[in-house]
Amino acid sequence: MLQDLVDGKSIWNLQLRIPADDQPKSKRNIQIKASSNLKGTEVKLPPPFTKSQSDVRQFRFLMNIKNADKALIKADYGGSFEGIFECDFDRPYWVTRGDMRFGGGPVVLPRSGGLLIVVHMKELSVDIWRNLFEQMSAQLSLNQVAVDTKPKESDLLPMHLVIVNSVELLVDRFVYLGQPATNLKLSVNKKEDWLNINLDSKEMLGVITVPKDLEQERLIIDMKHLHLKTPETSGGEIDPRDLPAINFNSRFVAYDNKKLGSVAIETSKTEKGMLLQQLIMNPRETTVKGHGHWLIENGEHQSLLDFELESKDLGKTMKDLGYVETIEEGEGKITAKLRWPSTIFDPDFSHLSGEVALDFKNGRILDIEPGRAARLFGLFSIQTLPRRLTLDFSDMFAKGLSFDFVTGNFQLENGDAYTNNFKLLGTNADIALKGRIGLAAQDYDQKVRVTPHITDAAVLLSILTAQPLIILFQQILKADIEGAASIEYALTGPWNNST
């Protein structure tokens, strides 16, 4: 693995000092010194350690060995890193105390035990370093020779409590799991049986409490605000079996331009992964409650989410979620039980299965642009409503379609949504739809029946002879509506070119 990270040749200055037998015992230290400007050597570590073969970067290493089992180590690398460590090789983690500084600054061996870590960088991606360490760990495990040793009781102590004493981190741009943090100030302080991590940046503000035993105790995350973004690059695959139990609370969460309001999440560990015991979100005028799981079964990710959404004003909620001009008002609920074969954060629409039920009243669907009607149900990623219903009498639908009730049930099977009982009882018309919506194929196979509320015979005649309806919904299907004015249409083809 080392040859993949360092390549080339450089001139080194090496010194080895071995004390004479007649020297006092206190001075019988073996000293090893190594230094080089590393010209001719390429370093392939992430920034700020990376360098080309032509660059000059001074590296110095000093090791004083005492009594064969104890040592004092000092190292520095071109202003990017400097460290001093006291080591006891009889201990499981070796380092008993030390000072590490990334980005410059003199180091001093602290009086108390543990590591003092100070990081001042322009950019730090934990994702890049994590992927590197995972590759190194995999390589080491292949080359590791089994040794029959009896573990000591101290081996069971968590590394983060044994080694870390305090951390101070200042980074202009910090990235973890694909999520950026601008001008991040992070501090870690060791308590008796836990670590307190304080986070302060434009995107996040709060405290994380890391317990002594992450296998048995919950990781507690208490945020005042948290702004998440769609990752530009993958932060690496997460195995839910590696996650600790989590208790997450944030007074405000946003994802891109979507305001999710307060969010509370409680999870627990299981042998196969993570149980989502409780999910509560409170966008404006709405409450979402749910539970589910994220497991690894037969080597594959399997996710389930069972939730209920209740809203006093779905229009305000949709606006806060970034879906403006889609719906006004609307009171009711959506219940769903969804499952898919991928991570819980990334639903696989091509294999999405489950049930969804809608029940809303007293709202208005607005005159919206192509594709944006899908966002009526964008909260739950059923993004397939067609554009809108347009008649040749614009006075009836010019300001959208007001409804008294909207109800319907959808059965989802491997990326297709089916319904035979969707109804919209509107102020100007009743609409019923039935058929299939292809969430994966992004197509339709539906029938739509519209019954306008008409009493004037001339107006009725104009409707019956009008050009065909172009659609109101892409994602909803019809139930029979009686009446002489009813008109039925078929909707087939891809979402962006249906006929």
Side-chain angles (χ1 to χ4, degrees):
M1 185 66 191
L2 183 60
Q3 61 268 27
D4 296 330
L5 301 177
V6 180
D7 183 32
K9 296 180 180 180
S10 298
I11 297 174
W12 285 81
N13 180 12
L14 300 175
Q15 297 180 24
L16 173 63
R17 190 180 73 178
I18 301 175
D21 291 339
D22 58 354
Q23 286 189 341
K25 189 175 181 179
S26 60
K27 295 184 179 181
R28 292 181 185 176
N29 299 335
I30 298 175
Q31 186 179 85
I32 302 172
K33 285 185 176 181
S35 62
S36 173
N37 64 11
L38 298 180
K39 187 174 182 179
T41 297
E42 179 183 8
V43 179
K44 302 176 185 178
L45 290 170
F49 302 99
T50 183
K51 69 171 290 295
S52 66
Q53 290 187 348
S54 60
D55 289 342
V56 173
R57 191 80 66 90
Q58 193 66 38
F59 176 81
R60 290 185 289 266
F61 175 85
L62 170 64
M63 183 176 186
N64 282 322
I65 303 174
K66 305 177 182 179
N67 303 327
D69 59 351
K70 293 180 175 60
L72 182 68
I73 298 174
K74 294 184 69 176
D76 68 83
Y77 175 69
S80 298
F81 168 79
E82 188 171 353
I84 183 170
F85 311 94
E86 181 184 73
C87 301
D88 186 340
F89 299 116
D90 280 341
R91 296 194 177 189
Y93 298 122
W94 292 4
V95 176
T96 56
R97 56 181 175 148
D99 186 355
M100 298 172 60
R101 295 182 182 262
F102 298 84
V107 293
V108 178
L109 196 66
R111 294 182 179 180
S112 58
L115 272 178
L116 170 64
I117 303 173
V118 179
V119 180
H120 293 172
M121 290 184 180
K122 290 186 177 297
E123 185 171 354
L124 174 61
S125 173
V126 177
D127 297 335
I128 295 175
W129 283 100
R130 187 184 65 173
N131 292 336
L132 176 62
F133 289 145
E134 287 177 353
Q135 294 174 23
M136 293 175 65
S137 177
Q139 187 65 38
L140 289 172
S141 64
L142 291 174
N143 300 330
Q144 188 175 18
V145 178
V147 179
D148 185 14
T149 58
K150 182 180 179 180
K152 304 175 183 179
E153 182 179 353
S154 58
D155 291 339
L156 304 177
L157 294 175
M159 184 176 180
H160 60 273
L161 287 177
V162 174
I163 292 183
V164 176
N165 190 3
S166 67
V167 177
E168 175 189 301
L169 186 146
L170 298 174
V171 179
D172 293 348
R173 177 175 169 77
F174 179 86
V175 180
Y176 180 54
L177 296 178
Q179 297 299 323
T182 307
N183 297 325
L184 174 66
K185 297 179 182 178
L186 180 151
S187 63
V188 179
N189 296 295
K190 182 179 179 180
K191 304 297 182 181
E192 291 184 2
D193 291 324
W194 67 88
L195 294 178
N196 269 358
I197 304 175
N198 294 277
L199 302 166
D200 187 354
S201 77
K202 177 183 177 182
E203 292 82 3
M204 61 187 71
L205 177 64
V207 179
I208 300 175
T209 301
V210 184
K212 176 180 179 180
D213 188 353
L214 282 169
E215 290 296 320
Q216 301 296 329
E217 301 176 76
R218 276 191 170 88
L219 179 72
I220 300 174
I221 305 174
D222 187 8
M223 308 296 292
K224 291 185 177 178
H225 70 252
L226 179 63
H227 294 259
L228 303 173
K229 295 182 178 180
T230 302
E232 297 177 0
T233 58
S234 172
E237 183 171 309
I238 300 174
D239 189 329
R241 296 170 295 187
D242 296 335
L243 296 176
I246 298 173
N247 192 333
F248 173 90
N249 282 279
S250 182
R251 295 165 184 79
F252 178 80
V253 175
Y255 187 86
D256 291 334
N257 66 335
K258 300 173 176 62
K259 300 175 184 178
L260 304 180
S262 64
V263 176
I265 298 173
E266 187 174 308
T267 73
S268 62
K269 287 178 66 67
T270 182
E271 183 179 350
K272 292 184 177 181
M274 180 193 81
L275 298 181
L276 178 60
Q277 295 181 311
Q278 177 178 266
L279 166 66
I280 301 176
M281 295 194 306
N282 291 288
R284 184 164 54 143
E285 302 294 339
T286 296
T287 298
V288 180
K289 294 182 179 180
H291 61 273
H293 65 231
W294 176 18
L295 308 176
I296 299 292
E297 295 182 334
N298 299 321
E300 301 292 335
H301 291 272
Q302 299 292 336
S303 297
L304 180 143
L305 183 59
D306 190 344
F307 68 87
E308 180 175 286
L309 175 151
E310 289 196 52
S311 181
K312 296 179 180 178
D313 192 325
L314 187 61
K316 290 181 179 179
T317 301
M318 298 302 290
K319 185 177 181 180
D320 277 3
L321 293 177
Y323 305 133
V324 296
E325 302 300 324
T326 55
I327 190 170
E328 282 186 354
E329 300 179 335
E331 177 183 352
K333 67 179 181 179
I334 299 173
T335 58
K337 186 172 185 177
L338 305 175
R339 52 193 179 276
W340 57 92
S342 61
T343 70
I344 201 165
F345 307 108
D346 185 22
D348 179 0
F349 289 105
S350 61
H351 297 92
L352 186 66
S353 298
E355 304 87 35
V356 178
L358 315 175
D359 188 357
F360 279 89
K361 63 182 181 180
N362 302 331
R364 183 160 62 95
I365 299 169
L366 303 179
D367 185 7
I368 48 186
E369 295 302 319
R372 294 185 63 191
R375 298 174 182 177
L376 286 171
F377 300 103
L379 274 173
F380 311 111
S381 300
I382 305 173
Q383 299 170 332
T384 52
L385 289 179
R387 181 180 178 184
R388 62 184 176 95
L389 180 63
T390 58
L391 300 174
D392 260 355
F393 22 97
S394 58
D395 57 328
M396 185 176 288
F397 294 102
K399 296 182 180 180
L401 178 62
S402 296
F403 61 84
D404 298 320
F405 295 97
V406 172
T407 62
N409 297 86
F410 293 86
Q411 186 71 34
L412 279 64
E413 298 177 7
N414 294 320
D416 288 318
Y418 299 88
T419 186
N420 61 7
N421 66 351
F422 181 90
K423 294 181 180 180
L424 183 150
L425 305 182
T427 303
N428 297 321
D430 296 341
I431 301 173
L433 304 96
K434 69 178 181 180
R436 180 188 63 85
I437 304 166
L439 304 181
Q442 299 188 3
D443 64 352
Y444 308 108
D445 185 4
Q446 303 173 322
K447 291 183 179 179
V448 183
R449 179 175 291 178
V450 180
T451 304
H453 295 175
I454 303 296
T455 57
D456 186 277
V459 176
L460 176 58
L461 180 61
S462 68
I463 294 173
L464 295 175
T465 59
Q467 66 181 34
L469 300 178
I470 308 174
I471 318 248
L472 171 72
F473 298 114
Q474 233 176 37
Q475 206 165 263
I476 326 174
L477 310 171
K478 130 180 187 240
D480 292 325
I481 300 177
E482 298 180 353
S486 296
I487 308 171
E488 187 170 308
Y489 300 91
L491 175 63
T492 59
W495 293 355
N496 58 0
N497 190 26
S498 55
T499 59

